[in-house]
Amino acid sequence: MSVRLSNGREIPIETHKIRIVQKVRLAPAADRLRAIEEAGYNTFMLRTRDIFMDMLTDSGTNAMSDNQLAAMMQSDDAYAGSESFYRLADAVKEIFGYEYLLPVHQGRAAEHLLAKIFVKPGDFVPMNYHFTTTKAHFELAGGKVLELFQDEALNTQSTCPFKGNMDLDKLTAAIRKAGPERIPFVRMEATTNLLGGQPFSLENLKAVKAIVGPLGIPLVVDGSLISENAFFIKQREPGYENRSITEIIREIMAEADICYLSGRKSCSVRGGFIATNIKKYSDMIREWLPVYEGFFTYGGMSSKEIEAMAVGVREMTELDVASSSADFVKYFAERLIESGIAVVTPPGGLACHIDAKIFLPHLPQSVYPAGALAAAVYLTSGIRGMERGTVSMDRDKDGNDVFSDLELLRLAIPRRVFTMSHIEYAVDRLSWLHKNRELVGGLEFYEEPPVLRFFAGKMRPLDGWGAKLAAKFAADLGENN
Ligand code: F0G
């Protein structure tokens, strides 16, 4: 929720009270330098004891509600036939409108099953944009991911309300070129994570369905951030202002043949699922569920998580929950823009994304500007963000870097975790860094895994810029800041 103050500014407002808290430590700059050096300038490799604000992700880091925690106490622990599963199935039926529910341990497990069952070597999988794990699974199965976004999607300084829309001409051309039989499904990601949490419109989704439906190509929605996409449709798509989040989710799901999701985001709980109304698809997936995930009624989740998910699926449709991350993202983005920092616009779901190419114009993509910015932000603030640029792309077959379309630093806003003073602190430290940005240099790998290298790869700062930046920070703001 947000409110307009009497001075005209719109601010996010919490419609909950905080009843359980967890201490965090603001480590001094010298400790932060040691920590990032040990982490190989990769924020994934930091320990949380060295982190003040963890903005790495909103995945599995949201504050759960009292009702979710209470539901966990009533879970029905059983290997098979647990009542907890049926309570989740009821919630999914009510909110998504789907009959068949296949629980999995998290989102990428759903992607693994879909890849195994649907994607064959030589296939093409069109989508509005890739996600890292999605691409890895579909490519490991021998498929090729086709990203059919509109050109505007890559404009970080845009006013386009639906940058997650698929380009319909590109879709038609791709189907003509590959042939429908080589396309196992089309995937639409509800708020395109790597484009900055940008939504698709219902109009676009319906148009995609109108193209693929008659050809017998299934439409798969990745609903990991479904309540945020629904919230943006309510805010931005004409005709949906007065529709509820549930009504909008139901309308999205009525177009899709299969929905899968990571429960760790919109639903605020560890877990995931695949759901559909098409028995044939459910049966095909069901066959492999016990092999890779677990029995049909738990799929790798604990019964406690299943109970919390049943509550989370319903709660994410409440307007204040659906908007809890998005409203903070918007405020954070507006404050950074006021400080002269280029962020992805319009502000999306899940995170505020800083355009590292604009922040660090002196760094070419070959020295990983978004990775360098992530390390520099940690050094100057204790805030951990996530590189979403070339470091997050694996090398091609010849060992060359694949330059990412965008070089972004993602500063995620987990739901109901941070307060306004946290955001103001972040704005202040980022502004200091922006004024001192010429001190930030590039990075080079010294340890580099071949797949999903961004998770565990280690890098060094070219010309040792990290120590110089930390020293300037301490000189300006004090040793203990
Ligand atoms: N799809 C989307 C759109 C996601 O954002 C994620 C995860 C997944 C699938 C995979 O789900 O993590 O439960 O296995 N996104 C996390 C993030 C990792 O930080 O954005 P998972």
Side-chain angles (χ1 to χ4, degrees), residues 110-411:
E111 290 167 341
H112 172 226
L113 286 168
L114 293 176
K116 167 141 193 79
I117 292 153
F118 289 94
V119 182
K120 303 279 169 288
D123 280 355
F124 296 90
V125 188
M127 54 187 71
N128 51 350
Y129 208 68
H130 81 280
F131 185 70
T132 50
T133 55
T134 321
K135 190 167 177 187
H137 278 297
F138 296 173
E139 288 185 350
L140 283 168
K144 189 170 168 17
V145 165
L146 302 177
E147 293 175 291
L148 309 181
F149 51 85
Q150 302 173 337
D151 295 344
E152 185 66 7
L154 300 184
N155 176 8
T156 59
Q157 311 298 296
S158 168
T159 53
C160 171
F162 292 108
K163 288 202 288 183
N165 279 354
M166 186 170 270
D167 186 311
L168 303 172
D169 293 337
K170 287 184 192 165
L171 176 62
T172 309
I175 296 172
R176 196 173 305 129
K177 188 152 176 238
E181 65 290 348
R182 291 269 59 148
I183 298 181
F185 54 80
V186 169
R187 170 181 175 274
M188 289 290 280
E189 189 175 305
T191 92
T192 44
N193 187 330
L194 299 187
L195 287 174
Q198 301 294 321
F200 57 71
S201 68
L202 255 163
E203 184 189 20
N204 184 254
L205 187 74
K206 287 179 181 179
V208 169
K209 182 60 186 269
I211 294 170
V212 301
L215 299 170
I217 302 171
L219 177 58
V220 173
V221 166
D222 177 338
S224 305
L225 286 147
I226 189 66
S227 64
E228 280 74 15
N229 203 113
F231 173 67
F232 289 129
I233 287 174
K234 184 174 170 65
Q235 273 201 323
R236 300 177 185 175
E237 188 160 353
Y240 288 91
E241 307 81 344
N242 298 320
R243 306 288 293 283
S244 71
I245 299 292
T246 307
E247 284 171 334
I248 296 171
I249 292 176
R250 288 286 286 255
E251 201 167 323
I252 293 171
M253 296 307 154
E255 297 300 317
D257 297 295
I258 295 175
C259 170
Y260 78 89
L261 56 76
S262 166
R264 301 166 61 93
K265 291 172 170 269
S266 291
C267 305
S268 294
V269 69
R270 186 186 160 276
F273 64 72
I274 306 174
T276 180
N277 272 334
I278 300 172
K279 184 162 186 310
K280 183 179 72 171
Y281 295 150
S282 172
D283 288 347
M284 285 158 73
I285 300 163
R286 214 175 126 89
E287 226 174 277
W288 291 99
L289 197 61
V291 179
Y292 289 108
E293 295 300 303
F295 192 74
F296 315 119
T297 53
Y298 77 93
M301 278 195 271
S302 73
S303 50
K304 286 189 173 52
E305 290 158 351
I306 294 173
E307 288 284 358
M309 186 180 258
V311 176
V313 160
R314 290 198 175 95
E315 285 185 346
M316 73 177 182
T317 66
E318 293 165 17
L319 197 55
D320 61 322
V321 180
S323 68
S324 58
S325 180
D327 283 336
F328 265 88
V329 171
K330 179 169 174 284
Y331 178 79
F332 192 16
E334 286 168 2
R335 295 284 290 117
L336 289 172
I337 292 166
E338 282 168 23
S339 305
I341 296 171
V343 301
V344 170
T345 56
L350 96 136
C352 186
H353 293 75
I354 299 180
D355 188 324
K357 278 189 197 164
I358 300 178
F359 198 109
L360 301 171
H362 52 289
L363 298 185
Q365 283 188 279
S366 54
V367 297
Y368 313 128
L373 185 59
V377 166
Y378 171 73
L379 263 174
T380 48
S381 64
I383 295 172
R384 170 163 75 164
M386 188 190 291
E387 194 271 1
R388 295 279 74 161
T390 298
V391 175
S392 297
M393 305 287 287
D394 290 331
R395 288 182 191 268
D396 65 16
K397 283 193 293 298
D398 305 321
N400 298 313
D401 261 327
V402 176
F403 293 138
S404 176
D405 295 328
L406 300 173
E407 292 288 338
L408 302 180
L409 169 60
R410 183 177 87 170
L411 296 171

